[in-house]
């Protein structure tokens, strides 16, 4: 089988690690007898990353480089890498060697033996990361999975192997806020886990300060769930029901005399809870429309076909061929 592999490496101010990552990735790629390449994306680094990458490029013409005009963020860098990938297989890997490149051959074997389109790496443990990062990451992935309409595997990063059907479908997604690991799950096909120990960063510091982490978490939740919007509807509906029940209770109480409210209290009380409920319900309804609008704007395909049988003229296949 004629295979080819691209290794996609996003880099932001990685002068301390980039030479070592290149060496380690390259020595793995040298073992393969098919075409391989490394695509580095320099995401607006302000240190010597670009210079080092130019040196690597000079000595190795299987290395490609995409340089951003400024720092657009990790997810945009990986997106650019996938958009520019023409191989049959792609590995997404961090530059800091937290994801060991030595696992690549085994990941490819796993893909072959399980006939999968995605091999996603699940972190059994995370070395060299603080308590805060570990606990927030653990909670975050579980909460996100609860919110999300598609099942998102927990404790996974973007470190994964994807094949060309995934690359093709990913490149068909046009939403601007991309939560890549979520979108790859969303695309479907056969996806299998691969367990590994996440290493400590080889050198340098994390490029994900708290604010960036927060933005990343917000994007993933907003783009993968409209549940928060719909919660208002449920709350509003419940409040209106409770208001009606309380209204009946307090009016009857007033007439029969089992409540001893001051005059005016009953009507005020009933009106307040009723209109509170009505407002929440209305916000919820508006929210549902906004949720649907958001889904429409994201313009994800409505479905992805794995295969079709017994069709004479296969329009989808023609389209795929020309892509
Ligand atoms: N990265 C990037 N742009 C950014 C932040 C990070 O391209 O704005 C890259 C970074 O160089 C690394 C990967 O994304 O290759 C993961 O970042 P990092 O290791 O700092 O994150 P952490 O592992 O601490 O979550
Ligand atoms: Mg890292």
């Amino acid at each position: 089988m004629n295979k080819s592999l691209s290794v996609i490496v996003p880099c932001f101010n990685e002068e301390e690690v980039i030479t070592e990552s290149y060496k380690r990735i390259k020595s793995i790629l040298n073992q393969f007898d098919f075409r391989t390449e490394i695509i580095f994306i320099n995401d607006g680094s302000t240190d010597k990353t670009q210079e080092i990458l130019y040196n690597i490029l000079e000595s190795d013409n299987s290395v490609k480089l995409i340089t951003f005009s400024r720092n657009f963020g990790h997810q945009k860098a990986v997106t650019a890498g996938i958009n520019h990938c023409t191989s049959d297989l792609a590995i997404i890997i961090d530059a800091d060697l937290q994801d060991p490149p030595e696992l690549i051959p085994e990941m490819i074997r796993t893909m072959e033996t399980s006939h999968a389109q995605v091999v996603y790496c699940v972190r059994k443990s995370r070395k060299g990361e603080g308590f805060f990062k570990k606990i927030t990451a653990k909670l975050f992935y579980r909460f996100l999975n609860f919110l999300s309409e598609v099942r998102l595997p927990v404790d996974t990063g973007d470190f994964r192997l994807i094949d060309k059907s995934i690359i093709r479908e990913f490149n068909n997604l046009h939403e601007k806020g991309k939560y890549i690991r979520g979108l790859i799950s969303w695309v479907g096909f056969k996806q299998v886990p691969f367990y590994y120990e996440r290493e400590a960063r080889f050198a340098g510091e994390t490029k994900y300060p708290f604010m960036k982490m927060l933005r990343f978490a917000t994007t993933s939740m907003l783009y993968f769930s409209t549940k928060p919007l719909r919660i208002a509807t449920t709350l509003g509906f419940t409040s209106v029901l409770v208001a009606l029940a309380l209204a009946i209770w307090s009016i009857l109480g007033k007439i029969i005399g089992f409540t001893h409210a001051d005059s005016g209290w009953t009507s005020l009380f009933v009106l307040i809870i009723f209109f509170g409920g009505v407002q929440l319900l209305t916000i919820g309804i508006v929210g549902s429309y906004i949720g649907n609008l958001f889904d429409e704007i994201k313009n994800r395909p409505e479905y992805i076909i794995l295969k079709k049988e017994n069709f004479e003229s296969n329009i989808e296949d023609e389209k795929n061929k020309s892509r």
Side-chain angles (χ1 to χ4, degrees):
M1 193 170 74
N2 236 343
K3 262 192 304 196
S4 52
L5 169 72
S6 300
V7 180
I8 297 169
V9 195
C11 318
F12 175 54
N13 290 346
E14 299 287 12
E15 60 182 7
E16 288 162 285
V17 300
I18 209 77
T19 313
E20 182 68 17
S21 336
Y22 166 72
K23 273 194 211 143
R24 274 179 54 186
I25 296 172
K26 189 69 193 174
S27 77
I28 298 298
L29 296 188
N30 281 339
Q31 302 171 5
F32 296 129
D33 53 6
F34 46 81
R35 190 180 69 79
T36 59
E37 64 177 16
I38 305 177
I39 307 179
F40 284 108
I41 302 95
N42 180 0
D43 181 16
S45 301
T46 49
D47 63 356
K48 294 214 177 65
T49 301
Q50 184 78 353
E51 237 177 281
I52 302 170
L53 286 173
Y54 274 147
N55 287 338
I56 295 174
L57 234 65
E58 244 166 52
S59 64
D60 184 348
N61 59 13
S62 71
V63 174
K64 292 179 175 169
L65 172 62
I66 299 170
T67 308
F68 279 180
S69 59
R70 63 169 172 86
N71 178 245
F72 280 93
H74 176 212
Q75 299 291 291
K76 306 287 178 197
V78 175
T79 302
I82 302 177
N83 289 162
H84 287 81
C85 169
T86 49
S87 305
D88 299 321
L89 302 173
I91 289 271
I92 305 167
I93 192 167
D94 284 356
D96 60 0
L97 294 171
Q98 279 195 286
D99 312 322
E102 289 71 24
L103 300 177
I104 296 175
E106 219 179 309
M107 288 161 73
I108 295 178
R109 270 197 298 279
T110 306
M111 177 175 264
E112 281 165 356
T113 51
S114 56
H115 302 287
Q117 279 74 39
V118 178
V119 176
Y120 59 91
C121 299
V122 185
R123 301 153 179 176
K124 275 196 291 192
S125 65
R126 307 164 71 113
K127 289 185 198 147
E129 286 177 321
F131 176 73
F132 180 73
K133 176 120 188 176
K134 279 185 192 163
I135 192 84
T136 46
K138 250 204 150 58
L139 290 176
F140 164 70
Y141 288 118
R142 277 153 186 83
F143 183 59
L144 182 63
N145 202 19
F146 157 75
L147 281 183
S148 166
E149 279 101 30
V150 273
R151 204 188 76 79
L152 304 172
V154 296
D155 303 328
T156 61
D158 287 327
F159 183 31
R160 57 191 64 213
L161 170 66
I162 56 181
D163 85 347
K164 61 171 178 258
S165 45
I166 302 291
I167 299 170
R168 186 187 67 219
E169 296 305 337
F170 183 87
N171 288 336
N172 270 336
L173 301 173
H174 299 297
E175 59 199 83
K176 300 279 183 292
K178 283 202 174 69
Y179 176 59
I180 294 170
R181 54 202 80 164
L183 283 173
I184 293 180
S185 298
W186 182 87
V187 161
F189 297 95
K190 186 165 183 196
Q191 315 210 358
V192 296
F194 182 92
Y195 295 89
Y196 80 116
E197 316 273 346
R198 187 156 161 94
E199 297 298 324
R201 198 172 228 288
F202 176 73
E205 284 171 358
T206 174
K207 305 300 179 299
Y208 260 102
F210 185 68
M211 285 313 285
K212 260 190 190 167
M213 247 162 70
L214 206 62
R215 207 177 317 141
F216 177 70
T218 320
T219 312
S220 58
M221 284 181 201
L222 282 179
Y223 277 77
F224 274 85
S225 177
T226 44
K227 257 189 204 165
L229 276 179
R230 301 188 204 282
I231 287 171
T233 326
T234 321
L235 270 178
F237 191 64
T238 323
S239 315
V240 170
L241 282 185
V242 172
L244 286 177
L246 281 173
I248 295 170
W249 174 76
S250 52
I251 291 166
L252 280 182
K254 189 81 183 173
I255 297 168
I256 303 168
F258 61 79
T259 56
H260 302 286
D262 291 337
S263 79
W265 183 86
T266 311
S267 53
L268 268 180
F269 173 71
V270 169
L271 282 177
I272 289 171
I273 44 174
F274 180 71
F275 281 107
V278 168
Q279 277 168 13
L280 264 178
L281 189 62
T282 322
I283 292 175
I285 294 170
V286 174
S288 309
Y289 278 98
I290 293 181
N292 288 337
L293 233 140
F294 189 40
D295 280 343
E296 293 290 340
I297 283 178
K298 278 187 281 191
N299 208 9
R300 288 184 196 163
E302 284 170 87
Y303 50 78
I304 293 170
I305 294 176
L306 181 62
K307 49 187 168 181
K308 289 199 280 193
E309 256 99 10
N310 279 353
F311 276 86
E312 293 218 330
S313 70
N314 213 331
I315 301 168
E316 274 301 312
D317 278 357
E318 290 306 315
K319 261 208 274 177
N320 288 344
K321 260 185 235 154
S322 64
R323 274 207 284 255

